[in-house]
């Protein structure tokens, strides 16, 4: 019997100052429990939120409030993009459902 695994992505678009950080901390702390339920809350670029993902969609945008803390200059972006892409590929290669959460998605 051949089975197909469908991956679903739930994307939390949290406007700033609405409790998104509390949600992200709780999801981060519950990774093992979530994984047991077939849900992945990926650790992307070693942060509990997914604010860094904006670099994949708009690498030329301003480095502002939601930029990865390691970015100090524009030349840092390609290295960090590569790491984020690798983390994301590892996450989506399985059959789990996935949750992403970021205030940066709101803008």
């Amino acid at each position: 019997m051949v089975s197909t695994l469908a991956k679903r992505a739930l994307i939390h678009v949290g406007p700033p100052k609405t409790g998104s950080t509390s949600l992200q901390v709780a999801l981060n702390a519950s990774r093992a429990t979530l994984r047991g339920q077939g849900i992945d809350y990926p650790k992307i670029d070693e942060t509990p939120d997914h604010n860094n993902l904006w670099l994949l969609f708009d690498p030329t945008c301003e480095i502002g409030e939601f930029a990865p803390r390691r970015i100090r200059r524009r030349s840092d972006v390609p290295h960090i993009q590569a790491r984020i892409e690798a983390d994301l590929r590892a996450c989506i290669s399985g059959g789990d459902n996935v949750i992403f959460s970021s205030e940066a998605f709101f803008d």
Side-chain angles (χ1 to χ4, degrees), residues 7-104:
K7 182 177 286 280
R8 292 183 194 161
L10 180 122
I11 301 172
H12 171 249
V13 180
K17 306 302 178 200
T18 59
S20 296
T21 301
S22 294
L23 175 65
Q24 293 158 353
V25 167
L27 289 167
N28 189 45
S30 302
R31 270 197 174 91
T33 301
L34 290 167
R35 175 144 312 270
Q37 299 294 318
I39 301 168
D40 190 16
Y41 183 70
K43 191 161 193 115
I44 303 225
D45 198 32
E46 301 180 12
T47 63
D49 57 47
H50 302 118
N51 294 341
N52 314 22
L53 290 176
W54 66 268
L55 283 172
L56 298 180
F57 302 105
D58 189 3
T60 62
C61 69
E62 291 297 315
I63 296 175
E65 178 182 0
F66 298 113
R69 287 155 187 80
R70 285 192 290 289
I71 295 179
R72 301 292 180 248
R73 54 196 176 278
R74 180 63 54 196
S75 61
D76 293 337
V77 172
H79 169 72
I80 293 173
Q81 276 182 306
R83 183 176 176 139
I84 292 168
E85 287 179 15
D87 289 348
L88 194 54
R89 278 195 172 89
C91 159
I92 63 174
S93 65
D96 293 328
N97 297 308
V98 64
I99 298 172
F100 296 107
S101 176
S102 174
E103 294 90 343

